[in-house]
Amino acid sequence: MNTVMNLQKLIFSLFFIFLSLEISAQACFFDVETINVEQGLPNRRTYSAAQDTDGFIWISMPGKVSRYDGYNFKNYTSDFLEINESLPCYLAVDDANLLWYCEHLSLSVSNKTGIINTEKNIKYDIETFSNGLIKNQSVRQIIQSTFSKGAVLIETNERRIYKYQRGKFTLLFEGIRNTDKTTPIGIEEIDENTLWFAIGEEFFEVRNKKITKRINLGIDIFDISKVRGELIVYTIDGKEYILSNRN
């Protein structure tokens, strides 16, 4: 009798083990869909993407921004955006579901930018939106914060870095000047008081609006990004550097 009961317990145990493994395995499977011009993508050359709170995916291409709803594309042309028809844009979405865009300045000296109300399909200029705080022709790049959900980072030609979140502009840093307006810098927000950015061959740590670290790599930096908590520095020769200890 004990042998039968033990066998039953073993069978039930194995059943639940295999069931949990099956559920775990099923949780790891997901569909991957490739979207290209054959599925309606207006251009094979894509540069930036963002997803709003409604689930729409926004994609930047030369001279246009497209919204993808999972089935169809809605295109916003250079005429509507008032950008160069051959240039892509940086994209970011704020916590009010407004889409921010700015021409890619590694390709253009002009600083054409704007903000789209995705529900009403109307566009605002940043100077009016910021009540004159940021001039239309002074925006250098726009970046989605990877730390603060729904926050947009704005860098200006005056080397000011602002964060827009919950309807408020906050100045995070100003002070480093660079006359080369065609060289982009990367910006990464690490926490509420800390950010990193790069100019030329150097990248900087800023805490509470003051530079606390300055590192020169000896070669121009193309961009920086935060991946799984690590700060990655990309240089123009195609190399990547990991800043593993930031304390």
Side-chain angles (χ1 to χ4, degrees):
M1 184 68 176
N2 290 335
T3 303
V4 174
M5 291 182 63
N6 290 335
L7 182 59
Q8 289 177 336
K9 290 180 181 179
L10 177 61
I11 291 173
F12 277 114
S13 299
L14 290 175
F15 171 76
F16 284 112
I17 289 173
F18 284 122
L19 181 62
S20 62
L21 287 175
E22 183 178 357
I23 293 173
S24 300
Q26 287 178 351
C28 294
F29 287 110
F30 51 89
D31 293 329
V32 177
E33 184 179 0
T34 301
I35 304 298
N36 213 317
V37 292
E38 291 78 12
Q39 289 77 36
L41 185 68
N43 197 311
R44 294 183 188 274
R45 296 169 60 195
T46 59
Y47 291 85
S48 179
Q51 187 172 23
D52 64 25
T53 55
D54 293 327
F56 294 120
I57 297 175
W58 297 82
I59 305 168
S60 165
M61 288 160 283
K64 63 171 60 70
V65 172
S66 293
R67 188 190 75 179
Y68 182 59
D69 62 5
Y71 301 95
N72 301 299
F73 288 90
K74 180 175 182 178
N75 300 318
Y76 293 79
T77 65
S78 58
D79 291 335
F80 175 83
L81 301 172
E82 298 183 277
I83 63 172
N84 190 303
E85 63 181 9
S86 63
L87 296 179
C89 296
Y90 298 103
L91 298 178
V93 179
D94 68 19
D95 48 14
N97 219 25
L98 300 178
L99 180 75
W100 297 59
Y101 66 89
C102 175
E103 280 185 330
H104 201 301
L105 294 183
S106 63
L107 304 176
S108 172
V109 179
S110 64
N111 302 17
K112 298 172 184 176
T113 185
I115 303 165
I116 300 175
N117 184 318
T118 60
E119 293 183 0
K120 299 179 180 179
N121 286 325
I122 58 176
K123 181 174 67 67
Y124 314 115
D125 68 83
I126 196 168
E127 189 168 341
T128 302
F129 189 83
S130 66
N131 293 319
L133 178 67
I134 302 174
K135 303 300 181 183
N136 287 330
Q137 297 300 315
S138 72
V139 178
R140 188 181 179 91
Q141 67 174 325
I142 286 171
I143 297 174
Q144 190 84 58
S145 172
T146 57
F147 171 75
S148 302
K149 185 177 180 180
V152 177
L153 305 179
I154 307 108
E155 184 222 347
T156 70
N157 284 331
E158 296 78 27
R159 290 301 181 189
R160 297 188 182 99
I161 300 174
Y162 296 92
K163 178 167 73 172
Y164 179 80
Q165 189 177 31
R166 302 185 186 96
K168 179 182 177 182
F169 287 91
T170 302
L171 180 64
L172 299 181
F173 178 75
E174 67 174 329
I176 296 293
R177 299 295 180 94
N178 187 343
T179 57
D180 183 3
K181 294 184 179 181
T182 63
T183 304
I185 70 170
I187 305 171
E188 277 294 341
E189 190 180 18
I190 305 302
D191 55 42
E192 289 289 348
N193 302 307
T194 309
L195 61 87
W196 284 83
F197 65 88
I199 302 176
E201 299 180 350
E202 297 181 296
F203 60 104
F204 305 80
E205 179 192 64
V206 173
R207 290 182 185 269
N208 299 311
K209 301 182 181 180
K210 295 182 179 179
I211 293 177
T212 51
K213 287 183 182 179
R214 184 170 184 162
I215 302 173
N216 192 312
L217 288 182
I219 188 169
D220 280 344
I221 297 169
F222 174 73
D223 199 3
I224 64 175
S225 65
K226 187 171 63 176
V227 180
R228 297 186 182 91
E230 298 287 358
L231 193 67
I232 313 296
V233 181
Y234 306 90
T235 55
I236 59 172
D237 61 354
K239 294 182 180 178
E240 301 178 4
Y241 299 85
I242 300 177
L243 190 64
S244 58
N245 184 8
R246 299 191 293 269
N247 298 322

